[in-house]
Amino acid sequence: MDFSTIIAIFNATIRSTVPITLGSLSGIVSERSGIVNIGIEGMMLVGAFTSFTANVFLSADGVAPVLQEQPIRLGLAILCAALMGAVMALLHAVLSIRYKVDQIISGTVINIMAAGITGYLYVGNQNNKGVLPAMIRNPFVPEQGFLYFIGELLFDKGFITYFTLVLVLALGLALYRTTWGLRTRAIGENPRAADTLGVNVYRLQYTNLALSGMLAGIGGAVLVLEGVSFERDMTAGRGFIALAVMIFGMWRPSRAFLGALLFGFASALQSQLQFFDINIPHQFVSMLPYVLTLVVLAGFMGRARPPAHVGQAYEVE
Amino acid sequence: MAQPNTGAATPPALPPTQTIRIPPEQKPKTPLGRSLRGLLVPLLAVFTAVLIGSVLILLAGRDPLRAYQGLLSGAFGTDVAITRTLLKMTPLALSGLAIAFAFKGGLFNIGAQGQLVVGSISAAWVGFTFTNLPPLVHVSLAMLAGMVGGAAWAFLPGLLKARTGAHEVITTIMLNYIAALLLEWAVSPASTTSPAGPLAFCLTPGACSGNPNRTAPILESAYLPILYRPGGTATDTLHIGILIAIVAAILVWILLYKTTFGFELRMVGINPSAARYAGIKVSRMTIVTMMLAGSLAGLAGAIQILGVTRSFQTNQNLSAGFDSIAVSLLASNNPIAVLPSAFLFGALDAGTSEMQFTSQVPGELIQVVQALILMFVAADQIIRGLYRIRGGSGDKVSLSSSWGQR
């Protein structure tokens, strides 16, 4: 393997890691607050659809030129994805907090609804308009050898990639070093105790779920704004994989990121198969992330301890 | 189509939160009254979902009345339409039973889809492999193979849940994707660069017309007997699958409510720790429940192959396994109620294409309506609040509290 192969595999890994990381962060925020979020898949799908539609809509004729500027247009597309993700998450919150629907069923409602609505509103034959540009160009030239190689690994990534890395660190700090984090962990472990100490459990659950939905929505937006057009059901199980990653990471952002890298690598093998001279049917390579999810669930579920009160509706006395 | 702007995917606004505090359980006196009351909430859920569906059609600039008219005539308008509804209903009922049955045991078998496709390819394999069998024997054997295939595919999530606590919602969904890829490989045709899959029909590259990703057609001795032929194309003949579904529903009901096994299963569903304390082997129960549920879903797939499609193809519309989640929940997981619920969803499916044709409303609308029905049934308090119905729901199986526990 030469430099270019390593760079290609590394970059493909990062590309698939970013949406899975965002999905698992979404799961962490939600489950740390005591709400199981099976609906990440649907929220990602809605995020992908919204950012795609916003992008296409803003590039149409007759839209103010200011909005057509690439950074503004793509920024708005990401913002819309985050907002719609939050809307879906708030629906999940209303169902599971206000109406005490079983959180697994409520999440399934979100998933089926997301597939239905995006399929209903999707109009075929639209092309993606412009994708997220690399934020910082590689300042080195190929003649610089090793420096260029390092540069290729570090630079030439889209805005959301760097944003995600910052987010992993920031969320880790926020969960363990801030009042918000302490309260969030408290309502996930023992909402009664938190309530007694004056934490508004429901309000925090609502805001955290909105945050969770925004993360999932942005995770969906990456899928579309990185070059592929929207397709029906394009998330292809990433939301569920993200949940497995969350468990693998024991509900901690930085460990979840490591898990996401593993899954990102497994997914990247699909597109980079030509570099390996092994003749296996491509279906088996595509299966890898799903099989890995099963292995992780089987191997880590018993050992990792979920937030104590996750999945149970909290009843204020 | 008039494309609404960026807020396009807004889910329908929730009804105003005007629920009154509901007094605990006021049981009507007669059993008939009770079952009528039980029907009220699902019916209102369907009604409300259809109403919101009309708003969505209006938003897309189409006529909801014409759309629903098309839907009704496509589902019930002619003999062929009714036959089609019943044909669509059959796999929905069986995989709905697969979900309802597991649900009673505290398992959310969201992966009926994977069990269904594995069951269908197993049935197809028996259907085209064994020659010189008497028709009745062959078709029964093929159905049995479908059940075994579905049960085998459900064994792993059951085992993982019992041994490690891996939640069946994630494992079965992963197995859905794995099944789809595995079967795609198994029937992939030979090409210049790769050999054919083990069950593929097309062994010489480029020799097949139509969809090359398929198995050989099943033999005529494996066809399901025909009940009624309304005089259309071959796919619109009513086979005996609908009777099998009805019998299966009754058997599942008897198993759940009239046997010790069923009692134990429901006990595990309502309170696994109490069941364990009472001496029930919960982990064995989990595996057996999953496998029985899988066999029902596998039977659904088998019947679809033996009665309708007559060979396994990758692009076949075998999404019944997923749609039946809503079927089962609409029936509050009651095996008998699964039948009318599947009938409703079968009618929605059967009418979709005519609705699309007469009103240009995208067929995915039906999926949205199904999701709304599912939501209103799951959150029955919304419906109760909206229409001011008193009373609460009965015993509840808790699914998510078992997250990561053994």
Side-chain angles (χ1 to χ4, degrees), chain A residues 31 38 53 84 87 94-95 98-99 101-102 104-105 108-109 112-113 116-117 119-121 123 232 236-237 240 251 281-284 287 290 293-294 297-298 301-302 311, chain B residues 3 8-11 14 17 19 56-57 60 103 108 160 164-165 169-171 173-174 177-178 181-182 184-185 362 364-365 368 371 374-375 378-379 381-382 399-400 403-404:
Chain A
E31 301 222 341
I38 288 277
T53 312
M84 287 313 299
V87 168
V94 169
L95 289 177
R98 171 107 178 72
Y99 291 104
V101 175
D102 188 287
I104 300 270
I105 294 180
T108 306
V109 169
I112 296 181
M113 183 136 3
I117 289 180
Y120 177 62
L121 296 174
V123 185
R232 292 193 167 100
F240 298 104
W251 289 265
H282 69 90
Q283 287 93 349
F284 285 93
M287 237 180 258
Y290 305 125
T293 305
L294 284 182
L297 282 178
M301 204 64 170
Chain B
Q3 180 72 20
T10 317
L14 284 165
T17 49
T19 38
L56 285 175
I57 297 174
F103 206 100
F108 197 19
L160 289 180
T164 70
V169 165
I170 304 183
T171 53
I173 285 196
M174 291 299 114
Y177 287 108
I178 294 172
L181 288 164
L182 203 61
E184 186 191 309
W185 165 74
E364 277 79 8
L365 175 79
V368 180
L374 182 62
M375 181 178 95
Q381 296 299 352
I382 299 180
L399 299 169
S400 44
W403 190 248

Coordinates of all heavy atoms in Angstrom, one line a residue, chain A residues 31 38 53 84 87 94-95 98-99 101-102 104-105 108-109 112-113 116-117 119-121 123 232 236-237 240 251 281-284 287 290 293-294 297-298 301-302 311, chain B residues 3 8-11 14 17 19 56-57 60 103 108 160 164-165 169-171 173-174 177-178 181-182 184-185 362 364-365 368 371 374-375 378-379 381-382 399-400 403-404:
Chain A
E31 N -30.2 9.6 25.8 CA -30.2 8.5 26.7 C -29.7 8.9 28.1 O -30.1 8.5 29.1 CB -29.4 7.3 26.2 CG -30.0 6.8 24.9 CD -30.1 5.3 24.9 OE1 -29.4 4.6 25.6 OE2 -30.9 4.8 24.0
I38 N -34.7 5.4 19.7 CA -34.6 4.5 18.6 C -34.9 5.3 17.3 O -34.6 4.9 16.2 CB -35.7 3.4 18.7 CG1 -35.2 2.4 19.8 CG2 -35.9 2.6 17.5 CD1 -34.2 1.4 19.4
T53 N -33.5 19.4 0.2 CA -34.5 20.2 -0.4 C -34.2 21.7 -0.2 O -34.4 22.5 -1.2 CB -35.9 20.0 0.3 OG1 -36.1 18.6 0.4 CG2 -37.0 20.6 -0.4
M84 N -35.4 20.7 11.6 CA -36.4 19.6 11.4 C -36.0 18.4 12.2 O -36.9 17.6 12.6 CB -36.4 19.3 9.9 CG -37.1 20.3 9.0 SD -38.7 20.9 9.7 CE -39.6 19.3 9.7
V87 N -37.6 19.1 15.4 CA -39.0 18.9 15.4 C -39.4 17.4 15.6 O -40.3 17.1 16.4 CB -39.6 19.5 14.1 CG1 -41.0 19.1 13.9 CG2 -39.5 21.0 14.1
V94 N -42.8 14.5 23.0 CA -44.2 14.7 23.4 C -44.8 13.3 23.6 O -45.5 13.1 24.6 CB -45.0 15.5 22.4 CG1 -46.4 15.4 22.6 CG2 -44.5 16.9 22.4
L95 N -44.5 12.4 22.7 CA -45.1 11.1 22.8 C -44.7 10.3 24.0 O -45.4 9.7 24.8 CB -44.8 10.2 21.5 CG -45.5 10.6 20.3 CD1 -45.1 9.8 19.1 CD2 -47.0 10.5 20.4
R98 N -44.9 13.4 27.5 CA -46.3 13.8 27.8 C -47.3 12.6 27.8 O -48.1 12.5 28.7 CB -46.7 14.8 26.8 CG -48.2 15.3 26.8 CD -48.3 16.7 27.4 NE -49.7 17.1 27.4 CZ -50.6 16.7 28.2 NH1 -50.3 15.7 29.1 NH2 -51.8 17.2 28.2
Y99 N -47.2 11.8 26.8 CA -48.2 10.7 26.7 C -47.7 9.4 27.2 O -48.4 8.4 27.1 CB -48.7 10.6 25.2 CG -49.5 11.9 24.8 CD1 -49.0 12.9 24.0 CD2 -50.8 12.0 25.3 CE1 -49.7 14.0 23.7 CE2 -51.5 13.1 24.9 CZ -51.0 14.1 24.1 OH -51.7 15.2 23.8
V101 N -45.9 7.1 26.0 CA -45.9 6.0 25.1 C -44.6 5.3 25.3 O -43.6 5.9 25.7 CB -45.9 6.5 23.6 CG1 -45.7 5.4 22.6 CG2 -47.2 7.2 23.4
D102 N -44.6 4.0 25.2 CA -43.3 3.3 25.3 C -42.3 3.9 24.4 O -42.6 4.1 23.2 CB -43.5 1.8 25.0 CG -42.3 1.0 25.3 OD1 -41.3 1.1 24.6 OD2 -42.4 0.2 26.3
I104 N -39.6 2.9 22.9 CA -39.3 2.1 21.8 C -40.3 2.3 20.7 O -40.0 2.5 19.5 CB -39.1 0.6 22.1 CG1 -38.0 0.4 23.2 CG2 -38.8 -0.2 20.9 CD1 -36.6 0.2 22.7
I105 N -41.6 2.2 21.1 CA -42.7 2.3 20.1 C -42.7 3.7 19.5 O -42.8 4.0 18.3 CB -44.0 2.0 20.7 CG1 -44.0 0.5 21.1 CG2 -45.2 2.3 19.8 CD1 -45.3 0.0 21.7
T108 N -40.1 4.1 17.0 CA -40.5 3.4 15.8 C -41.5 4.2 15.0 O -41.4 4.3 13.8 CB -41.1 2.0 16.1 OG1 -40.2 1.3 16.9 CG2 -41.4 1.2 14.9
V109 N -42.4 4.9 15.7 CA -43.3 5.8 15.0 C -42.5 6.9 14.3 O -42.8 7.2 13.1 CB -44.3 6.5 16.0 CG1 -45.1 7.6 15.4 CG2 -45.2 5.5 16.6
I112 N -40.9 5.3 11.1 CA -41.9 5.0 10.0 C -42.4 6.3 9.4 O -42.5 6.5 8.2 CB -43.0 4.1 10.5 CG1 -42.5 2.8 10.9 CG2 -44.1 4.0 9.4 CD1 -43.5 1.8 11.4
M113 N -42.7 7.3 10.3 CA -43.2 8.6 9.8 C -42.2 9.3 9.0 O -42.5 9.9 7.9 CB -43.6 9.4 11.0 CG -44.2 10.7 10.6 SD -45.6 11.3 11.5 CE -46.0 10.3 12.7
G116 N -42.1 7.7 5.6 CA -43.3 8.1 4.8 C -43.3 9.5 4.3 O -43.5 9.8 3.2
I117 N -43.0 10.4 5.2 CA -43.1 11.9 4.8 C -42.0 12.2 3.8 O -42.3 12.9 2.8 CB -42.9 12.8 6.1 CG1 -44.2 12.6 6.9 CG2 -42.7 14.2 5.7 CD1 -44.2 13.4 8.2
G119 N -40.5 10.2 1.7 CA -40.9 9.6 0.5 C -42.0 10.3 -0.2 O -42.0 10.5 -1.4
Y120 N -43.0 10.8 0.6 CA -44.2 11.5 0.0 C -43.7 12.8 -0.6 O -44.2 13.2 -1.7 CB -45.2 11.7 1.1 CG -46.4 12.5 0.7 CD1 -47.3 12.0 -0.3 CD2 -46.7 13.7 1.3 CE1 -48.4 12.7 -0.7 CE2 -47.8 14.4 0.9 CZ -48.7 13.9 -0.1 OH -49.8 14.6 -0.4
L121 N -42.9 13.5 0.0 CA -42.5 14.9 -0.4 C -41.4 14.9 -1.4 O -41.2 15.9 -2.1 CB -42.1 15.8 0.8 CG -43.3 16.0 1.8 CD1 -42.8 16.8 3.0 CD2 -44.4 16.8 1.1
V123 N -39.4 14.6 -4.6 CA -39.7 14.6 -6.1 C -38.4 14.2 -6.7 O -37.3 14.7 -6.5 CB -40.0 16.0 -6.5 CG1 -40.4 16.0 -8.0 CG2 -41.1 16.6 -5.7
R232 N -34.7 7.8 -1.3 CA -35.5 7.3 -0.3 C -34.8 6.3 0.6 O -34.0 5.5 0.1 CB -36.7 6.5 -0.9 CG -37.6 7.5 -1.7 CD -39.0 6.9 -2.0 NE -39.9 7.9 -2.4 CZ -40.2 8.2 -3.7 NH1 -39.6 7.5 -4.7 NH2 -41.0 9.2 -4.0
A236 N -30.1 4.1 5.5 CA -29.7 2.7 5.5 C -29.2 2.1 6.8 O -28.2 1.5 6.9 CB -28.7 2.4 4.4
G237 N -29.9 2.4 7.9 CA -29.6 1.8 9.2 C -28.5 2.5 10.0 O -28.1 2.1 11.1
F240 N -29.3 3.2 13.6 CA -29.3 2.1 14.5 C -27.8 1.7 14.8 O -27.4 1.3 15.9 CB -30.0 0.9 13.9 CG -31.4 1.1 13.7 CD1 -32.0 1.4 12.5 CD2 -32.3 1.2 14.8 CE1 -33.3 1.6 12.3 CE2 -33.6 1.4 14.6 CZ -34.1 1.6 13.4
W251 N -21.8 5.2 26.5 CA -22.5 6.5 26.7 C -21.5 7.6 26.9 O -21.9 8.6 27.6 CB -23.5 6.3 27.8 CG -24.7 5.5 27.4 CD1 -25.9 6.0 27.0 CD2 -24.8 4.1 27.5 NE1 -26.8 4.9 26.7 CE2 -26.1 3.7 27.0 CE3 -24.0 3.0 27.8 CZ2 -26.6 2.4 26.9 CZ3 -24.4 1.7 27.7 CH2 -25.7 1.4 27.3
P281 N -17.6 -11.4 -2.8 CA -18.8 -10.6 -3.3 C -19.0 -9.4 -2.5 O -18.8 -9.3 -1.3 CB -19.9 -11.6 -3.1 CG -19.3 -13.0 -3.0 CD -17.9 -12.7 -2.4
H282 N -19.4 -8.3 -3.2 CA -19.5 -7.0 -2.6 C -20.5 -7.0 -1.5 O -20.5 -6.2 -0.5 CB -19.7 -5.9 -3.6 CG -21.1 -5.9 -4.2 ND1 -22.1 -5.3 -3.7 CD2 -21.5 -6.6 -5.3 CE1 -23.2 -5.5 -4.4 NE2 -22.9 -6.3 -5.4
Q283 N -21.5 -7.9 -1.6 CA -22.6 -7.9 -0.6 C -22.0 -8.2 0.8 O -22.5 -7.7 1.8 CB -23.6 -8.9 -0.9 CG -24.6 -8.6 -2.1 CD -24.1 -9.1 -3.4 OE1 -22.9 -9.6 -3.5 NE2 -24.9 -9.0 -4.4
F284 N -21.0 -9.1 0.8 CA -20.4 -9.4 2.1 C -19.7 -8.3 2.7 O -19.6 -8.1 3.9 CB -19.5 -10.7 2.0 CG -20.3 -11.9 1.8 CD1 -20.6 -12.4 0.5 CD2 -20.8 -12.6 2.9 CE1 -21.3 -13.5 0.4 CE2 -21.5 -13.8 2.7 CZ -21.8 -14.2 1.5
M287 N -22.1 -5.9 4.2 CA -22.7 -6.5 5.4 C -21.9 -6.1 6.7 O -22.4 -6.2 7.8 CB -22.7 -8.0 5.3 CG -24.0 -8.7 5.4 SD -23.7 -10.4 5.2 CE -24.3 -10.7 3.5
Y290 N -23.1 -4.0 9.6 CA -24.3 -4.6 10.3 C -23.8 -5.7 11.2 O -24.3 -5.9 12.3 CB -25.3 -5.0 9.3 CG -25.7 -3.9 8.3 CD1 -25.6 -4.1 6.9 CD2 -26.2 -2.7 8.8 CE1 -26.0 -3.1 6.0 CE2 -26.6 -1.7 7.9 CZ -26.5 -1.9 6.5 OH -26.9 -0.9 5.7
T293 N -22.2 -4.4 14.2 CA -23.2 -3.9 15.1 C -23.7 -5.1 16.0 O -23.7 -4.9 17.3 CB -24.3 -3.3 14.4 OG1 -23.8 -2.3 13.5 CG2 -25.3 -2.7 15.4
L294 N -24.0 -6.2 15.4 CA -24.4 -7.4 16.2 C -23.3 -7.8 17.2 O -23.6 -8.1 18.3 CB -24.7 -8.5 15.2 CG -26.0 -8.5 14.4 CD1 -26.1 -9.7 13.6 CD2 -27.2 -8.3 15.4
L297 N -23.1 -5.3 20.0 CA -24.3 -5.4 20.9 C -24.2 -6.7 21.8 O -24.4 -6.6 23.0 CB -25.6 -5.5 20.1 CG -26.1 -4.2 19.6 CD1 -27.3 -4.4 18.8 CD2 -26.4 -3.2 20.7
A298 N -23.7 -7.8 21.2 CA -23.6 -9.0 21.9 C -22.5 -9.0 22.9 O -22.6 -9.4 24.0 CB -23.4 -10.2 20.9
M301 N -23.1 -5.2 25.4 CA -24.4 -4.9 26.1 C -24.3 -5.2 27.6 O -24.7 -4.5 28.4 CB -25.5 -5.7 25.4 CG -26.8 -5.0 25.6 SD -26.8 -3.4 24.8 CE -28.5 -3.0 24.9
G302 N -23.9 -6.5 27.9 CA -23.9 -6.9 29.3 C -22.9 -6.1 30.1 O -23.2 -5.8 31.3
G311 N -35.4 4.7 29.5 CA -36.5 3.9 29.0 C -37.8 4.0 29.8 O -38.8 3.5 29.4
Chain B
Q3 N -44.1 22.2 -4.7 CA -43.2 21.8 -3.7 C -43.3 22.9 -2.5 O -42.9 24.0 -2.7 CB -41.7 21.8 -4.2 CG -40.7 21.4 -3.2 CD -40.8 19.9 -2.8 OE1 -41.4 19.2 -3.6 NE2 -40.2 19.6 -1.7
A8 N -40.8 21.7 4.5 CA -41.7 20.7 3.8 C -42.0 19.5 4.7 O -43.1 19.0 4.7 CB -41.0 20.2 2.6
A9 N -41.0 19.1 5.5 CA -41.3 17.8 6.2 C -41.9 18.0 7.6 O -41.8 17.1 8.4 CB -39.9 17.1 6.4
T10 N -42.5 19.1 7.8 CA -43.1 19.3 9.1 C -44.1 18.2 9.4 O -45.1 18.0 8.6 CB -43.9 20.6 9.1 OG1 -43.1 21.6 8.5 CG2 -44.2 21.1 10.5
P11 N -44.0 17.5 10.5 CA -45.0 16.5 10.9 C -46.3 17.3 11.2 O -46.2 18.4 11.7 CB -44.4 15.8 12.0 CG -43.4 16.7 12.6 CD -42.9 17.6 11.5
L14 N -49.5 18.5 16.4 CA -50.2 17.7 17.4 C -51.5 18.4 17.8 O -51.6 19.7 17.8 CB -49.4 17.5 18.6 CG -48.3 16.5 18.4 CD1 -47.3 16.6 19.5 CD2 -48.9 15.1 18.3
T17 N -53.2 20.2 23.4 CA -53.1 19.3 24.6 C -54.2 19.6 25.6 O -53.9 20.3 26.6 CB -51.7 19.4 25.2 OG1 -51.5 20.8 25.4 CG2 -50.7 18.9 24.3
T19 N -56.0 17.3 27.1 CA -56.5 16.1 27.8 C -56.9 16.4 29.2 O -56.3 17.2 29.9 CB -55.4 15.0 27.9 OG1 -54.2 15.7 28.1 CG2 -55.3 14.2 26.7
L56 N -52.5 16.8 4.1 CA -51.3 16.6 3.3 C -51.5 16.6 1.8 O -50.7 17.1 1.0 CB -50.6 15.3 3.7 CG -49.9 15.3 5.1 CD1 -49.3 14.0 5.4 CD2 -48.7 16.4 5.1
I57 N -52.6 16.0 1.4 CA -53.0 16.0 0.0 C -53.2 17.4 -0.5 O -52.8 17.8 -1.6 CB -54.2 15.0 -0.3 CG1 -53.8 13.6 0.1 CG2 -54.6 15.1 -1.8 CD1 -55.0 12.6 0.0
A60 N -50.2 19.4 -1.1 CA -49.5 19.0 -2.3 C -50.4 19.5 -3.5 O -50.0 19.2 -4.7 CB -49.3 17.5 -2.4
F103 N -44.8 -9.7 20.9 CA -45.1 -8.5 21.8 C -45.6 -9.0 23.1 O -45.3 -8.5 24.1 CB -46.1 -7.6 21.1 CG -46.0 -6.2 21.5 CD1 -45.3 -5.3 20.8 CD2 -46.6 -5.8 22.7 CE1 -45.2 -3.9 21.2 CE2 -46.5 -4.5 23.1 CZ -45.8 -3.6 22.4
F108 N -40.2 -6.9 21.0 CA -40.6 -6.1 19.9 C -39.9 -6.6 18.6 O -38.8 -6.2 18.3 CB -40.3 -4.6 20.1 CG -41.1 -3.7 19.2 CD1 -42.2 -4.1 18.6 CD2 -40.7 -2.4 19.0 CE1 -43.0 -3.2 17.8 CE2 -41.4 -1.5 18.2 CZ -42.5 -1.9 17.6
L160 N -29.3 -13.8 21.4 CA -28.5 -12.6 21.9 C -29.3 -11.9 23.0 O -28.6 -11.5 24.0 CB -28.3 -11.7 20.7 CG -27.3 -12.1 19.6 CD1 -27.2 -11.1 18.6 CD2 -26.0 -12.4 20.2
T164 N -27.1 -12.1 26.2 CA -26.3 -10.9 26.5 C -27.2 -9.6 26.7 O -26.7 -8.6 27.1 CB -25.4 -10.6 25.3 OG1 -26.3 -10.1 24.2 CG2 -24.6 -11.8 24.8
G165 N -28.5 -9.7 26.5 CA -29.3 -8.6 26.7 C -29.3 -7.6 25.5 O -29.9 -6.5 25.6
V169 N -34.7 -4.9 19.1 CA -35.0 -3.9 18.1 C -33.8 -3.6 17.2 O -33.9 -3.6 16.0 CB -35.5 -2.6 18.7 CG1 -35.5 -1.5 17.7 CG2 -36.9 -2.8 19.2
I170 N -32.6 -3.5 17.8 CA -31.4 -3.2 17.0 C -31.0 -4.5 16.3 O -30.7 -4.5 15.1 CB -30.3 -2.6 17.8 CG1 -30.8 -1.3 18.5 CG2 -29.1 -2.3 16.9 CD1 -29.7 -0.6 19.3
T171 N -30.9 -5.6 17.0 CA -30.4 -6.8 16.4 C -31.2 -7.3 15.2 O -30.7 -7.6 14.2 CB -30.2 -8.0 17.4 OG1 -31.5 -8.2 18.0 CG2 -29.2 -7.7 18.4
I173 N -33.2 -5.4 13.3 CA -33.0 -4.5 12.2 C -31.7 -4.8 11.4 O -31.7 -4.8 10.2 CB -33.2 -3.1 12.6 CG1 -34.6 -2.8 12.9 CG2 -32.7 -2.1 11.5 CD1 -35.0 -1.4 13.0
M174 N -30.7 -5.0 12.2 CA -29.4 -5.3 11.5 C -29.5 -6.6 10.7 O -29.0 -6.7 9.6 CB -28.3 -5.5 12.6 CG -27.9 -4.2 13.3 SD -27.2 -3.0 12.2 CE -28.5 -1.7 12.3
Y177 N -31.1 -6.1 7.3 CA -30.1 -5.6 6.3 C -29.3 -6.8 5.8 O -29.0 -7.0 4.7 CB -29.3 -4.5 6.8 CG -30.0 -3.2 6.9 CD1 -30.3 -2.6 8.1 CD2 -30.4 -2.5 5.8 CE1 -31.0 -1.4 8.2 CE2 -31.1 -1.3 5.9 CZ -31.4 -0.8 7.1 OH -32.1 0.4 7.2
I178 N -28.8 -7.6 6.8 CA -27.9 -8.7 6.5 C -28.7 -9.7 5.6 O -28.2 -10.2 4.6 CB -27.4 -9.4 7.8 CG1 -26.5 -8.4 8.5 CG2 -26.7 -10.7 7.5 CD1 -26.1 -8.9 9.9
L181 N -28.9 -8.4 2.0 CA -27.7 -8.5 1.3 C -27.3 -10.0 1.0 O -26.9 -10.3 -0.1 CB -26.5 -7.9 2.1 CG -26.6 -6.3 2.1 CD1 -25.7 -5.8 3.2 CD2 -26.2 -5.8 0.8
L182 N -27.6 -10.9 2.0 CA -27.3 -12.3 1.8 C -28.1 -12.9 0.6 O -27.5 -13.6 -0.2 CB -27.6 -13.0 3.1 CG -26.9 -14.3 3.3 CD1 -25.4 -14.1 3.4 CD2 -27.4 -14.9 4.7
E184 N -29.5 -11.2 -1.8 CA -29.1 -10.5 -3.0 C -27.9 -11.3 -3.6 O -27.9 -11.5 -4.8 CB -28.7 -9.1 -2.8 CG -28.4 -8.3 -4.0 CD -27.8 -6.9 -3.7 OE1 -28.4 -6.2 -2.8 OE2 -26.8 -6.6 -4.2
W185 N -27.0 -11.7 -2.7 CA -25.8 -12.4 -3.2 C -26.3 -13.8 -3.7 O -25.8 -14.3 -4.7 CB -24.8 -12.5 -2.1 CG -23.8 -13.6 -2.3 CD1 -22.7 -13.5 -3.2 CD2 -23.7 -14.9 -1.7 NE1 -22.0 -14.6 -3.2 CE2 -22.5 -15.5 -2.3 CE3 -24.4 -15.5 -0.8 CZ2 -22.2 -16.8 -1.9 CZ3 -24.1 -16.8 -0.4 CH2 -22.9 -17.4 -1.0
P362 N -48.8 11.0 -4.6 CA -47.8 9.9 -4.5 C -48.2 8.8 -3.5 O -48.9 9.1 -2.5 CB -46.6 10.7 -3.9 CG -46.8 12.1 -4.2 CD -48.3 12.3 -4.3
E364 N -46.7 7.2 -1.5 CA -46.1 7.2 -0.1 C -47.0 7.8 0.9 O -46.8 7.7 2.1 CB -44.8 8.0 -0.1 CG -43.6 7.2 -0.6 CD -43.5 7.0 -2.1 OE1 -44.3 7.7 -2.8 OE2 -42.7 6.2 -2.5
L365 N -48.1 8.5 0.4 CA -49.0 9.1 1.3 C -49.6 8.0 2.2 O -49.8 8.3 3.4 CB -50.2 9.7 0.5 CG -51.3 10.2 1.5 CD1 -50.9 11.5 2.1 CD2 -52.6 10.3 0.8
V368 N -47.5 7.5 5.1 CA -47.7 8.6 6.1 C -48.9 8.3 7.0 O -48.9 8.4 8.2 CB -47.8 9.9 5.5 CG1 -47.9 11.0 6.5 CG2 -46.5 10.2 4.6
A371 N -48.3 5.6 9.4 CA -47.5 6.1 10.5 C -48.3 6.9 11.5 O -48.2 6.7 12.7 CB -46.3 6.9 10.0
L374 N -50.4 4.5 13.5 CA -49.5 3.9 14.5 C -49.3 4.9 15.6 O -49.4 4.5 16.8 CB -48.2 3.6 13.8 CG -47.1 2.9 14.7 CD1 -47.6 1.6 15.1 CD2 -45.9 2.7 13.9
M375 N -49.1 6.1 15.3 CA -48.9 7.1 16.4 C -50.1 7.3 17.3 O -50.0 7.3 18.5 CB -48.5 8.5 15.8 CG -48.2 9.5 16.8 SD -47.7 11.1 16.0 CE -49.3 11.9 16.0
A378 N -50.6 4.2 19.4 CA -49.6 4.1 20.5 C -49.9 5.1 21.6 O -49.9 4.9 22.7 CB -48.2 4.3 19.9
A379 N -50.2 6.4 21.1 CA -50.5 7.4 22.1 C -52.0 7.6 22.1 O -52.6 8.6 21.7 CB -49.8 8.7 21.7
Q381 N -53.9 8.3 24.4 CA -54.3 9.4 25.2 C -54.6 10.6 24.3 O -55.5 11.4 24.6 CB -53.3 9.8 26.2 CG -53.0 8.7 27.3 CD -54.3 8.3 28.1 OE1 -55.3 9.0 28.0 NE2 -54.2 7.3 28.8
I382 N -53.9 10.7 23.2 CA -54.2 11.9 22.3 C -55.6 11.7 21.8 O -56.4 12.7 21.8 CB -53.2 11.9 21.1 CG1 -51.8 12.0 21.6 CG2 -53.5 13.0 20.1 CD1 -50.7 12.1 20.5
L399 N -41.3 -2.4 26.9 CA -40.2 -2.9 26.0 C -38.9 -2.2 26.3 O -37.9 -2.9 26.3 CB -40.6 -2.5 24.6 CG -41.9 -3.1 24.0 CD1 -42.3 -2.4 22.7 CD2 -41.7 -4.6 23.8
S400 N -38.9 -0.9 26.6 CA -37.6 -0.3 26.7 C -37.0 -0.3 28.0 O -35.8 0.0 28.2 CB -37.8 1.2 26.2 OG -38.9 1.8 26.8
W403 N -33.7 -2.4 28.3 CA -32.5 -2.0 27.6 C -31.3 -2.4 28.3 O -30.9 -1.9 29.3 CB -32.6 -0.4 27.5 CG -31.6 0.3 26.6 CD1 -30.6 1.1 27.0 CD2 -31.6 0.3 25.2 NE1 -30.0 1.6 25.9 CE2 -30.5 1.1 24.8 CE3 -32.4 -0.3 24.2 CZ2 -30.2 1.4 23.5 CZ3 -32.1 -0.1 22.9 CH2 -31.0 0.7 22.6
G404 N -30.6 -3.4 27.7 CA -29.3 -3.8 28.3 C -29.4 -4.6 29.5 O -28.4 -4.7 30.2

